[in-house]
Amino acid sequence: MDDGTKQVILAARFPGVTNSTVWSDPAAGSQIDFSSFAHLARTAEAGKFDFFFLTESPRLREHRGKIHDLDVAGRPNSFTVLAALAAVTTHLGLGGTIAATCNEPYEVARQFATLDHLSAGRAAWNVVTSPDAFSSENFRRGGVPDREDRYGRTAEFVATCRELWNSWPGDAVAADTAAGTFMRNTAAGTFAHRGEHFDISGHFNAPASPQGHPVIIQAGDSGGGKEFAAASADAVCTRHSALRAGQAFYADVKSRLGRYGRRPSDLKVLPRATFVLGDSAADARDRARHIRRQQVSPQTAILLLEQVWNRDLSGYDPDGPLPSADPDTSSASIQGRTRQHASPLVTARRWRALAEEKQLSIRELIIEVTGRQSLIGTPAQVAEEISSFVQSDAADGFVLVPHLVPAGLDEFVATVVPRLQERGVFRAEYETDTLRGHLGLGPARCAHSGTGMAAATGHQPERIAAG
């Protein structure tokens, strides 16, 4: 009997080439060998996680005109990796981060439909927009749309993909291999779309896939991001991870769903979180402090400070005070990274005040201001915190980001998952075959349902009859 207890959603993000991954640890492995991807995915599936997903960057980042140190490892193609993982997993959802800004609807829709077929209904698309013109130069001529136009283009991009996925009826093609006969629906795959950003028509060559549409994930905490999630997404990843902030975000984004004819349960809210486990609370805190110092090495501290100051600070002592000069706002020395600070001057003033108040060096300050939500404690304490967060309507689950590749999830699956299962808030076995089933989502939505955000931002595409 349903007692009102919410079930926890768990996802695992492959850490990839970020400074939150501890590459100096002896247990760290490759981020491009397939064995690394397979290990993390298989561990997540052994823990009955809902899905696994990859982040992706459309271009190697640059720092002061040189390739960013971490990016020399490269960036493997997400679709290729996920297709390979479909062959070594059976239930785990498989998500890829693909930028609408850098691609075209037909090809992306085709690739995700193919992944959904290969995985028997486990595909997910983490929709993002590229942050700047530099990141898009590999793909686009003539620059990149401004921020508001990117949201409009992304909304129409997703709506157009839905039209393509819907262009094949589920029974469009039936084959009787024994008799050697086929029955064809001649309208299968026929589409035509005319909008502000896309004017395409033809025949979509990927038949209806097991889920109809992949699960749509959106990452963003801004007003525009929340509106896009309410109109078009099945799940939203957020940084709002303190309890009260999480509850406020949860209530806000869920309240927006009604205007698009959706129910609160149609959108899952999933904060990103790291985790550190210990034999006691004190042991976990000690381990967390050690990991944070590994993540923010002296070189990393200077690099992260340069992202705000936009100056060459290589001559500064990481264990010394902040620069006396203000940030340079005239040009960008960091290319290919999303700007996390809307106003460098305001950020610098705030950081200076914090450093003075707590007597922090550059490295100590960066450790403090760049820390993300962490679940820190014994396995029982972490299980309690996860369950409490979900039962308190601050989230529907978590996207966990280990600090090690590829074995960073092993301890969590071995010690925390059983405690969540004992509480009755997490599955003991998979009960469904598709990712939509795991997440408790309804059938894939019709194409016109995905255009609400486009209408809200003044980018409503026109639909024309095919033929």
Side-chain angles (χ1 to χ4, degrees), residues 76-202:
N77 180 272
S78 290
F79 281 114
T80 306
V81 174
L82 294 172
L85 290 176
V88 298
T89 56
T90 57
H91 286 85
L92 184 71
L94 301 170
T97 302
I98 302 298
T101 321
C102 300
N103 293 283
E104 296 299 322
Y106 187 95
E107 188 60 21
V108 169
R110 182 188 185 207
Q111 289 170 313
F112 273 112
T114 301
L115 179 62
D116 209 43
H117 277 291
L118 292 176
S119 64
R122 297 184 280 135
W125 174 17
N126 183 36
V127 182
V128 297
T129 60
S130 293
D132 51 40
F134 172 85
S135 299
S136 302
E137 285 178 351
N138 285 357
F139 299 86
R140 296 174 59 82
R141 293 190 300 269
V144 65
D146 64 31
R147 185 175 181 83
E148 290 307 314
D149 283 347
R150 288 202 296 273
Y151 270 121
R153 186 183 190 277
T154 299
E156 189 179 335
F157 192 112
V158 174
T160 306
C161 286
R162 291 189 190 277
E163 292 178 46
L164 294 168
W165 293 322
N166 286 345
S167 67
W168 279 76
D171 59 352
V173 177
D176 184 341
T177 54
T181 60
F182 291 85
M183 297 175 289
R184 294 182 177 85
N185 181 331
T186 58
T190 302
F191 71 89
H193 173 98
R194 179 178 297 149
E196 178 176 348
H197 300 279
F198 306 104
D199 186 355
I200 58 176
S201 62

Side-chain angles (χ1 to χ4, degrees), residues 235-238 246 249-250 253-254 267-271 394-398:
V236 57
C237 295
T238 171
F249 180 90
Y250 189 95
V253 73
K254 296 265 186 174
L267 178 68
K268 308 303 180 183
V269 176
L270 305 173
D396 294 304
F398 284 89

